[in-house]
Amino acid sequence: MVLVLGVSAGAGGARAMSTHSDQPHLPPIDRCHVPRRAGAGVEEAVFEAIRQMRRSAQLRDELITATAVTCRCPLHADAIRSAAGSSRLTIVDEPLAQLRYLRFTGRLPESGTVILYDLGSSGLTVTHADCRTDTILSSKRSTVLGGDGYDALLRWQLARGGVLTDRLTSRRHREALSSARVVTATDAGSGGRAVVTRSDLAELCAASIHHSASFVRQLVEESGVRPDALVLLGGCTRSPSVRAELAELVDLPVIYDPEPEYVSARGALLLAAERPSGDVRMARLRAGATLYRPATAGVDRRKVIAAVAVTAALGATIAGLLAVERNSARAPHGGTAPTQIELRMTPGLPGN
């Protein structure tokens, strides 16, 4: 059997896993997570992950025959392509890898469309995709709604209770609440302690989750096609509270993988075996084009506009908290931390 490597690249870093080409759904032979260093490009984390995985394979006297990297945007793809040089590498559009793995596992509908709701540490990407043609109908991205923002809100609440924590510690507390109902935070300096429950975290995140649902409504409104399912992706969707809130807000069947943050890398494994080098791009619906499917019922535009306004206000609050932290802990000399303040909307992207 062929040993292949799949890597997912994002603003927060890179995740990689290796396994045999016909076993992407099974526990991997090896995996790693390389956070993005402040001031560094996304390609640094990607190639560090690749080096770690190749060294590990060599220690087992194995050879990785093909590597595929998923990218969320053309800028990341260009940076990785330039850094790769003459190395054989497959660069894949991330939504395509996600659809590829979901189809392999039998979770993806054979026809119709789905919403890919990818909530990671660095932000939220919502993509409306056609299952039959693997075409993107529309897509939106926000770096305000995501794990970094939730961590900032959690640190703010703990600070109000007299407990100061750093980014990594608050992230560990938030991630622990995905499986535990209660965690205890401790101030390393003063020794103060505070208890945080899953309900506390749900209340902190409720506003952003509620208004991220407006992204889904906008995508549906723009395409005029009602999706058949909502696919929850990204590490933040491990939280039962997040999943329950979304299930209540979005009236769609939910598709969820037990390891949502590795779906992209698992899809990359499949594509690495199929195409050892080059680019694998996803088609995008051309401006003005339509799909021949029954249109969904209209969405109240006033509600959409109001939701966007509230999301912007929420984003300003989170951005303010993150800005205070950046001023108190500056990035290394010569570099800048990845920006947290961005709201990009790309409906009706032109074709390639």
Side-chain angles (χ1 to χ4, degrees):
M1 288 184 286
V2 177
L3 185 67
V4 291
L5 173 62
V7 184
S8 61
R15 296 182 185 272
M17 58 168 49
S18 63
T19 190
H20 294 116
S21 57
D22 61 345
Q23 299 176 347
H25 57 302
L26 299 180
I29 295 172
D30 201 3
R31 72 171 74 190
C32 72
H33 174 215
V34 179
R36 183 179 177 184
R37 182 174 59 85
V42 66
E43 69 278 6
E44 180 183 283
V46 167
F47 286 100
E48 175 57 29
I50 292 174
R51 282 191 291 270
Q52 289 185 22
M53 300 297 280
R54 286 178 175 169
R55 283 197 299 266
S56 180
Q58 289 173 356
L59 291 174
R60 300 190 305 270
D61 198 26
E62 293 181 307
L63 175 65
I64 293 174
T65 59
T67 300
V69 181
T70 70
C71 294
R72 180 179 299 126
C73 68
L75 289 177
H76 289 174
D78 290 342
I80 293 168
R81 192 180 297 108
S82 297
S86 59
S87 301
R88 286 168 58 86
L89 196 68
T90 303
I91 298 179
V92 184
D93 285 347
E94 186 171 51
L96 184 61
Q98 293 166 343
L99 292 175
R100 182 68 178 83
Y101 179 67
L102 293 169
R103 184 176 293 115
F104 176 85
T105 59
R107 293 186 177 98
L108 193 71
E110 294 183 2
S111 60
T113 67
V114 294
I115 297 290
L116 302 174
Y117 183 102
D118 193 344
L119 184 61
S121 63
S122 61
L124 169 68
T125 303
V126 184
T127 304
H128 194 178
D130 184 271
C131 299
R132 185 178 61 82
T133 62
D134 286 342
T135 299
I136 294 178
L137 279 62
S138 58
S139 179
K140 298 183 187 297
R141 167 104 179 138
S142 169
T143 54
V144 171
L145 305 174
D148 291 342
Y150 301 156
D151 294 342
L153 289 171
L154 181 57
R155 286 193 296 278
W156 170 74
Q157 175 150 315
L158 289 172
R160 292 182 65 193
V163 175
L164 301 180
T165 59
D166 58 24
R167 290 187 178 189
L168 292 178
T169 303
S170 63
R171 173 148 298 183
R172 284 197 297 270
H173 292 330
R174 177 176 61 79
E175 291 176 345
L177 288 170
S178 295
S179 55
R181 292 189 175 275
V182 179
V183 299
T184 301
T186 303
D187 189 316
S190 67
R193 296 160 66 87
V195 172
V196 184
T197 68
R198 186 180 291 172
S199 297
D200 294 333
L201 182 62
E203 289 180 9
L204 286 174
C205 301
S208 62
I209 295 298
H210 179 83
H211 295 293
S212 73
S214 69
F215 280 30
V216 176
R217 298 187 193 102
Q218 285 177 282
L219 289 175
V220 173
E221 181 186 40
E222 288 159 5
S223 66
V225 178
R226 179 173 175 79
D228 294 273
L230 178 71
V231 183
L232 301 184
L233 304 163
C236 290
T237 62
R238 277 183 175 267
S239 169
S241 300
V242 169
R243 297 201 301 273
E245 186 78 9
L246 285 170
E248 183 177 344
L249 292 170
V250 181
D251 184 23
L252 291 172
V254 171
I255 297 173
Y256 175 73
D257 185 87
E259 291 189 314
E261 69 273 35
Y262 279 100
V263 168
S264 297
R266 291 183 187 276
L269 288 169
L270 288 165
L271 291 162
E274 296 172 5
R275 184 168 177 174
S277 63
D279 290 1
V280 182
R281 304 299 306 276
M282 191 170 186
R284 286 167 167 79
L285 190 69
R286 294 182 180 274
T290 58
L291 292 177
Y292 294 98
R293 293 193 180 91
T296 183
V299 178
D300 190 328
R301 299 185 65 87
R302 290 175 298 178
K303 291 182 179 179
V304 171
I305 294 171
V308 171
V310 176
T311 301
L314 174 68
T317 301
I318 295 176
L321 293 173
L322 293 169
V324 169
E325 292 176 352
R326 286 198 297 272
N327 290 336
S328 61
R330 299 195 178 197
H333 178 69
T336 57
T339 179
Q340 299 291 343
I341 308 172
E342 177 185 1
L343 179 63
R344 184 171 74 248
M345 300 184 181
T346 55
L349 291 171
N352 297 320

